[in-house]
């Protein structure tokens, strides 16, 4: 009703309140009503309101937007001062708290300022980015200084570098080209060679708040368990190493099997799991490509109705392997030498488990008697396979591999030269606590030569962090 009766010369006697008000909306105004009066009729000053930054938007006689920076705290101290102005018709008032996205709330006003910009009169807007509480684009109010922009952005985050900031300013040259000038401003200390936070801002200024060098965002922890004197979770610094944490944990006990130390990292686990999921997702595509390829005698190798269904059924029964995120390390060298070559820089969440010494070697897979054997230094991988009854008919003996106690994976073909591979697999040395794996020949079961190679790759990838990292990239 008030706006319906308004004219160009007589604007509507209403004001609009936006942001952190108990009751935002459009309110009628009367003569001599001030900013604080509006706050009171809208429900009062809310707990948590930002008392250092509010915006009043007014339409000038020339039809342009005029924005004023108001401070509630200054208005309360001096009700007759500039921060508690008289309210006029069609004024818009923005009040904020710590949660509101200020730049987003003011977006319509920013866009209006851009539309009103003319040749030689750039839009009065400024920007703050980096480690401010509320980075974004803000209106350039009359007399605005760098410290006012910081107030608009809610101040600095804890990780902000509080000594200096970088201010970029666009300057138009005589040939109508623009130039960006960059200079340092001092935020809190007065230095004679630098501008300070009282520097006046110009349209299009961009203030960059940088982060503290090597800032650690919150406490970081690593967990040490097993055969150390003082197991537990330890806070770590940015460059804390495995050697340092093991020393803080009191070192190893007499029963510790340092070579078999299990080191796991969450970032590695995420990459490994993504790679495993990716491999399984590709099986359908791979089978379709083989089934439709025009290779020699493909109809014999891939019967249309039966073989495809059999292989597909097998794949559907496979459960997605769960990655552990283990990283193979030389824990003995890392904790004895403590140098950059052998030591490991820790990340938050790293877990180190030092097992007890174990003197057995386990054989699993396609052998007649999967079991564990007492470790003997004069025995190797093929010896332990023979001690378990030897490989079964469906085993792929030449593809057997050893998972050493420290997590390394070694194939029985790994030490074969390019011309001796016809002589058969080599007898790979094993360590106490190792596992010898004899895989199944999938090709012998379903007649699919192609499928064997992929399932074999998946099987080995599940225990090889290096392979997974390669596939994931």
């Amino acid at each position: 009703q008030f706006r319906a009766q308004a004219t160009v010369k007589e604007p509507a006697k209403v004001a609009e309140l936006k942001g952190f008000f108990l009751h935002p909306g459009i309110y009628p105004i009367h003569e001599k009503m001030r900013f604080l009066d509006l706050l009171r009729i809208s429900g009062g000053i809310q707990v948590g309101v930002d008392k250092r930054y509010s915006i009043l938007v007014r339409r000038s006689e020339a039809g342009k937007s005029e924005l004023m920076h108001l401070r509630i705290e200054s208005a309360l101290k001096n009700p007759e001062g500039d921060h508690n102005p008289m309210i006029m018709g069609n004024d818009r008032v923005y009040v904020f708290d710590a949660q509101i996205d200020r730049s987003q709330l003011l977006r319509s006003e920013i866009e209006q300022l851009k539309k009103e910009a003319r040749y030689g009169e750039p839009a009065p807007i400024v920007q703050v980015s980096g480690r401010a509480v509320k980075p974004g684009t803000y209106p350039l109010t009359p007399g605005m200084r760098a410290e006012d922009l910081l107030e608009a952005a809610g101040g600095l985050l804890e990780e902000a570098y509080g000594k200096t900031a970088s201010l970029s300013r666009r300057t138009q040259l005589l040939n109508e080209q623009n130039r960006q000038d960059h200079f340092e401003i001092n935020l809190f200390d007065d230095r004679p060679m630098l501008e300070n936070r009282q520097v006046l801002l110009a349209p299009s200024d961009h203030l960059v708040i940088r982060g503290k060098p090597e800032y650690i965002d919150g406490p970081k922890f690593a967990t040490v368990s097993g055969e150390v004197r003082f197991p537990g979770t330890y806070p770590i610094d940015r460059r804390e190493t495995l050697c340092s944490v093991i020393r803080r944990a009191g070192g190893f006990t007499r029963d510790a099997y340092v070579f078999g130390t299990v080191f796991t990292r969450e970032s590695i686990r995420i990459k490994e799991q993504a790679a495993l999921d990716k491999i399984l997702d590709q099986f359908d595509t791979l089978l379709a490509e083989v089934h439709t390829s025009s290779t020699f005698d493909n109809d014999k190798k891939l019967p249309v109705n039966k073989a495809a269904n059999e292989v597909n059924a097998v794949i559907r029964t496979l459960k997605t392997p769960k990655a552990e995120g283990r990283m193979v390390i030389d824990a003995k060298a890392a904790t004895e030498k403590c140098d950059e070559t052998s030591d490991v820089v820790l990340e938050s969440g790293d877990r180190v488990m030092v097992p007890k010494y174990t003197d057995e070697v386990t054989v699993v897979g396609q052998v007649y008697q999967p079991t564990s054997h007492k470790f003997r230094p004069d025995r190797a991988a093929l010896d332990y396979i023979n001690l378990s009854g030897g490989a079964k008919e469906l085993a792929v003996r030449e593809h057997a591999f050893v998972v050493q106690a420290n997590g390394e994976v070694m194939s029985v073909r790994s030490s074969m030269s390019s011309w001796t591979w016809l002589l058969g697999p080599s007898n790979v040395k094993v360590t106490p606590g190792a596992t010898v794996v004899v895989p199944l020949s999938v090709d012998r079961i379903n007649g699919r030569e192609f499928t064997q190679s992929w399932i074999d790759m998946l099987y080995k990838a599940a225990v090889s962090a290096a392979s997974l990292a390669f596939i994931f990239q």
Side-chain angles (χ1 to χ4, degrees), residues 151-186:
E151 289 182 358
L156 305 182
L157 292 171
E158 196 275 333
E159 66 264 27
Y161 181 66
K163 291 186 176 181
T164 62
S166 175
L167 183 64
S168 298
R169 176 165 293 171
R170 188 175 65 187
T171 304
Q172 185 166 327
L173 305 178
L174 294 177
N175 60 1
E176 305 251 344
Q177 292 183 343
N178 288 327
R179 183 186 69 195
Q180 283 282 352
D181 295 320
H182 311 282
F183 54 95
E184 295 285 303
I185 66 168
N186 185 58

Side-chain angles (χ1 to χ4, degrees), residues 183-186 189-196:
F183 54 95
E184 295 285 303
I185 66 168
N186 185 58
D189 299 324
D190 291 329
R191 299 181 186 180
M193 300 300 293
L194 295 179
E195 293 280 2
N196 59 29

Side-chain angles (χ1 to χ4, degrees), residues 332-352:
K332 185 176 181 180
T335 53
E336 285 182 353
K337 299 179 181 179
C338 294
D339 57 21
E340 293 183 359
T341 303
S342 55
D343 209 351
V344 180
V345 177
L346 300 178
E347 293 181 3
S348 185
D350 284 353
R351 305 184 71 86
V352 182

